Amino acid sequence: MKSFEKKFRVGVLGGTGMVGQRFITILDNHPWFQVTTIAASANSAGKKYEDAVSGRWKMDVPIPEGVKDIIVLDVTDVNRVASEVDFVFSAVDMTKEEIKAIEEEYAKTETPVVSNNSAHRWTNDVPMVVPEINIDHFDIIESQKKRLGTKKGFIAVKPNCSLQGYIPALAAWKEYEPYEMTVCTYQAISGAGKTFADWPEMIENIIPYIGGEEEKSEEEPLKIFGHIENGEIVKAEGLNITAQCVRVPVLNGHTAACFVKFKNKPTKEELIQKLKDFKGFPQEVDLPNAPKPFIQYLEEDNRPQVKLDVDYENGFGVSVGRVREDKIYDFKFIGLAHNTVRGAAGGAILCAEALAYKGYIDFK
């Protein structure tokens, strides 16, 4: 594993919310990154972090000792926050337009922003990256810097949590040219920033609608599988995805039931072997949180299961099972990913590890 002469100073924007808390727990004792600064709304600013999250700590592990006494800063005090860090993770809870504005403001202070938010996912020169799949999209950062007028500052994002359980399979099967897919996602309540204590009406309940998720599930893969052309990322053609997204009474873990058609017809055995063999940049260079292997294929008919498999590779890996032929489509399968690790904070951290390894993130 690569090492650096010292740890990068990291800020977490929106550090008191559920995803912000997940950032802070995963970053505890990280070999490359150290949380030195936490920023949130004016309501939390000026408080010790421990006090700011008192009564609303949502993680199943204690608050890391190293951050308890950090004084929370106002996230809108951009110059102050930027002066204390080498780069920031963004998990702010604002309107989309406010998020776009403040993330660009941070980037223009020469502070790289690695965001969990959706606001910049369709900005043409902002890379939206799953590091195992489209690491080459980081090349667009140079074009973005020209637009922003920066030397070091930029924005990179990770895609939505809903697609993390099935897009890796499509990437593994790229040579067979998947061209049509139907997917139904069964999404955990932590995706809404909730626990069962916050949302008791979700116990023994299903809600057949999650605002914006179906559009993201259908469209974001096209950017991931797209290419760079004339200073922007052009979305892929030839892949049609239709999705339904359902909220289910599960705390962590988004499951996806998927049906796929291929132009080049594979066998079941070929598909399974491709899943087992699939790897990307994080595995090749041994990034700190790279899951090994990235995808685990489970042979049992009753897997993957949230209770048994959601924490595979500390939540950074993806679990796939039940690959089988279908009467209408060519094949169908079940995918599972941890929505607040691989699908949110962890996915952003893996992106930041790749960016640091490649030199896009540097010390100030």
Side-chain angles (χ1 to χ4, degrees):
M1 184 188 297
K2 186 172 182 173
S3 61
F4 294 91
E5 60 185 33
K6 58 184 178 179
K7 289 189 178 185
F8 292 93
R9 301 169 302 154
V10 176
V12 180
L13 312 181
T16 58
M18 191 174 207
V19 174
Q21 293 175 21
R22 182 68 74 182
F23 271 117
I24 283 165
T25 55
I26 296 175
L27 290 166
D28 188 34
N29 296 317
H30 192 283
W32 296 355
F33 306 149
Q34 181 175 356
V35 176
T36 59
T37 305
I38 302 170
S41 69
N43 291 333
S44 297
K47 299 177 182 177
K48 289 183 178 181
Y49 184 68
E50 182 178 28
D51 297 331
V53 297
S54 178
R56 55 193 184 109
W57 182 252
K58 299 177 187 289
M59 300 294 101
D60 55 6
V61 295
I63 303 169
E65 290 295 327
V67 301
K68 284 183 176 180
D69 292 332
I70 290 177
I71 303 299
V72 178
L73 300 181
D74 189 327
V75 73
T76 63
D77 192 354
V78 175
N79 289 325
R80 166 80 185 278
V81 175
S83 71
E84 298 186 1
V85 300
D86 294 310
F87 75 97
V88 296
F89 291 109
S90 177
V92 291
D93 184 11
M94 297 175 172
T95 68
K96 184 169 287 191
E97 291 308 312
E98 288 171 336
I99 293 170
K100 289 179 79 169
I102 200 166
E103 289 184 349
E104 285 204 0
E105 196 176 346
Y106 272 95
K108 287 177 179 177
T109 67
E110 302 296 356
T111 304
V113 178
V114 184
S115 181
N116 179 68
N117 296 304
S118 64
H120 274 292
R121 287 184 192 155
W122 285 101
T123 303
N124 289 335
D125 58 9
V126 170
M128 179 171 66
V129 171
V130 177
E132 288 87 353
I133 298 174
N134 62 327
I135 195 78
D136 58 305
H137 283 197
F138 285 147
D139 293 347
I140 200 72
I141 287 172
E142 294 308 315
S143 296
Q144 185 194 146
K145 286 178 181 176
K146 291 177 183 176
R147 174 175 64 84
L148 295 175
T150 60
K151 293 182 179 180
K152 289 186 175 182
F154 62 87
I155 302 162
V157 300
K158 49 143 290 295
N160 198 52
C161 55
S162 63
L163 51 82
Q164 304 287 338
Y166 60 88
I167 288 305
L170 292 188
W173 298 333
K174 184 177 181 180
E175 69 184 82
Y176 303 116
E177 297 187 55
Y179 70 92
E180 188 174 306
M181 182 178 197
T182 294
V183 58
C184 186
T185 60
Y186 304 92
Q187 299 187 203
I189 64 172
S190 57
K194 305 285 189 180
T195 65
F196 286 110
D198 305 323
W199 204 358
E201 57 267 40
M202 271 307 301
I203 296 172
E204 298 184 1
N205 192 23
I206 284 175
I207 298 175
Y209 173 73
I210 309 170
E213 291 293 289
E214 288 164 3
E215 295 83 356
K216 294 171 186 175
S217 301
E218 294 170 353
E219 293 296 321
E220 289 186 14
L222 305 183
K223 183 171 181 178
I224 294 168
F225 292 131
H227 65 279
I228 297 173
E229 186 177 316
N230 298 323
E232 62 182 41
I233 299 170
V234 179
K235 68 181 185 180
E237 297 180 352
L239 174 61
N240 292 309
I241 300 174
T242 184
Q244 286 202 114
C245 297
V246 180
R247 188 72 74 193
V248 295
V250 166
L251 179 59
N252 294 310
H254 289 356
T255 300
C258 308
F259 304 79
V260 191
K261 291 181 180 179
F262 298 96
K263 289 183 180 177
N264 304 320
K265 299 298 188 285
T267 65
K268 174 182 174 179
E269 292 72 25
E270 286 172 333
L271 291 178
I272 291 172
Q273 194 60 48
K274 290 294 182 184
L275 293 173
K276 291 179 177 179
D277 293 344
F278 187 64
K279 62 182 179 180
F281 183 79
Q283 291 74 35
E284 290 164 0
V285 302
D286 193 24
L287 295 180
N289 280 298
K292 302 184 199 69
F294 175 29
I295 302 171
Q296 68 164 344
Y297 184 76
L298 299 159
E299 300 283 353
E300 300 92 332
D301 286 339
N302 64 349
R303 303 281 286 277
Q305 292 182 30
V306 169
K307 282 196 172 181
L308 298 177
D309 304 308
V310 74
D311 291 320
Y312 168 63
E313 287 292 287
N314 297 315
F316 282 85
V318 172
S319 300
V320 175
R322 303 204 69 205
V323 170
R324 60 214 191 278
E325 291 189 38
D326 185 67
K327 293 178 182 178
I328 299 173
Y329 287 75
D330 293 323
F331 284 89
K332 51 194 171 186
F333 69 96
I334 302 291
L336 170 67
H338 196 304
N339 56 293
T340 66
V341 182
R342 167 57 73 165
I349 290 169
L350 200 61
C351 280
E353 291 173 359
L355 288 162
Y357 189 99
K358 284 179 162 287
Y360 288 101
I361 291 174
D362 201 356
F363 298 100
K364 283 187 178 177

